[in-house]
Amino acid sequence: MKITFLGTGTSQGVPVIACDCQVCTSGDPCDKRLRSSVLIEDKHTTAVIDSGPDFRYQMLRAGVKQLDAIVLTHEHKDHLAGMDDIRAFNFRQEEPMDVFATPRVQETIIREFAYVFSSVKYPGLPRIKLIEIQNKPFKVGTLRFQPVEVLHYKLPVFGYRIGDFTYITDAKTIEPEEKEKIKGSKVLVLNALQKEAHVSHFTLDEAVRLAGELGAERTYLTHISHKLGRHAEIESKLPPGIHLAYDGLVLTL
């Protein structure tokens, strides 16, 4: 299985518009972060977790020619605003795009992309096949997804375990029974927004402590804001086995 980090930034991305901080003005490519998303591929299936506002460019940059499904974590704009751009895959693959989401997230999609679901089918509209998921395993082609429910402040959000890989974004709290689903992963991805306390995201220290508790062989931190600091500086101070993810990072499991 191949994992490509399409984006590792928070909702504003990095650099942030009109910001002159040392991170936003950095020349290091690792400090350029699109909104968080990952591409997951095996020999038969290609899926994306989340389709944020950078989706079009992420697909172009990664050279994605075939996409079987989009799996959504939750309904915030930085995770689904790029849904309209699935049209290119509709045209190429000549079929609707499978979009896996909870009933609550589906309601948001239908509301925010109402034109897609209108009885009047304007030519060239995206074609979406909504597939309902709950907190139990489901298949996307040959990939098996195990949801891991976390809380983003008070909002339930799904992370996912696919084989030995677990991806958690937008988390502040994970209950013990959900942590059990993660244990044994070889690679774990956790959100680490910034150093300072935040109501709905893990801080750097919180993510590092949780990584130690869960015990994956390797942990990568994502959903990073410009407030965390420059990539090279933070990376150099992390414990063994814990790294900052960056856009374009590719892992093979």
Side-chain angles (χ1 to χ4, degrees):
M1 186 169 65
K2 178 182 174 183
I3 309 295
T4 304
F5 287 80
L6 301 171
T8 56
T10 188
S11 57
Q12 295 183 84
V14 183
V16 174
I17 293 171
C19 182
D20 296 322
C21 77
Q22 64 175 354
V23 176
C24 289
T25 57
S26 168
D28 184 350
C30 293
D31 287 322
K32 313 298 183 187
R33 302 182 185 278
L34 301 179
R35 270 58 76 95
S36 290
S37 176
V38 290
L39 178 71
I40 302 172
E41 303 170 85
D42 68 9
K43 292 181 179 179
H44 305 287
T45 303
T46 300
V48 165
I49 298 180
D50 289 335
S51 57
D54 300 311
F55 178 76
R56 172 185 169 275
Y57 180 59
Q58 288 168 338
M59 295 295 96
L60 290 169
R61 185 169 67 175
V64 179
K65 303 293 187 184
Q66 171 77 26
L67 185 63
D68 298 302
I70 296 170
V71 181
L72 296 173
T73 60
H74 65 297
E75 64 267 43
H76 286 168
K77 279 287 192 180
D78 55 321
H79 294 265
L80 59 73
M83 189 73 66
D84 185 84
D85 287 319
I86 67 166
R87 287 179 295 161
F89 293 111
N90 294 152
F91 301 153
R92 181 180 177 88
Q93 297 166 195
E94 299 183 341
E95 60 185 359
M97 178 63 64
D98 288 347
V99 176
F100 291 78
T102 65
R104 189 193 73 238
V105 176
Q106 288 188 27
E107 289 177 7
T108 301
I109 294 169
I110 293 168
R111 181 177 66 250
E112 297 191 3
F113 297 91
Y115 59 93
V116 174
F117 303 95
S118 170
S119 59
V120 178
K121 297 301 181 184
Y122 190 85
L125 288 177
R127 290 185 293 148
I128 294 173
K129 179 183 178 182
L130 291 175
I131 301 172
E132 181 179 325
I133 57 174
Q134 304 287 345
N135 192 0
K136 58 184 180 181
F138 60 91
K139 295 290 288 291
V140 179
T142 51
L143 297 169
R144 180 183 185 272
F145 281 69
Q146 167 66 68
V148 179
E149 186 174 271
V150 304
L151 284 178
H152 182 34
Y153 184 44
K154 297 181 180 180
L155 180 72
V157 169
F158 274 175
Y160 297 102
R161 179 168 181 171
I162 309 99
D164 290 324
F165 174 77
T166 298
Y167 181 79
I168 305 289
T169 183
D170 288 57
K172 182 63 176 181
T173 307
I174 308 178
E175 294 299 324
E177 61 270 23
E178 298 298 312
K179 288 180 181 178
E180 288 300 316
K181 298 177 183 178
I182 302 170
K183 291 180 179 178
S185 300
K186 291 182 179 179
V187 175
L188 170 63
V189 179
L190 290 172
N191 58 302
L193 185 73
Q194 59 191 36
K195 295 176 182 177
E196 297 79 15
H198 194 275
V199 68
S200 60
H201 283 279
F202 292 135
T203 65
L204 177 62
D205 286 345
E206 288 169 343
V208 168
R209 285 198 299 271
L210 181 58
E213 175 188 345
L214 295 174
E217 294 176 9
R218 290 176 288 162
T219 297
Y220 293 89
L221 306 180
T222 192
H223 212 287
I224 293 165
S225 83
H226 66 150
K227 295 180 180 180
L228 184 66
R230 287 180 294 186
H231 180 98
E233 178 183 348
I234 301 301
E235 174 74 16
S236 69
K237 297 176 181 177
L238 292 174
I242 301 178
H243 305 278
L244 291 188
Y246 55 87
D247 289 22
L249 172 64
V250 177
L251 307 175
T252 303
L253 283 77

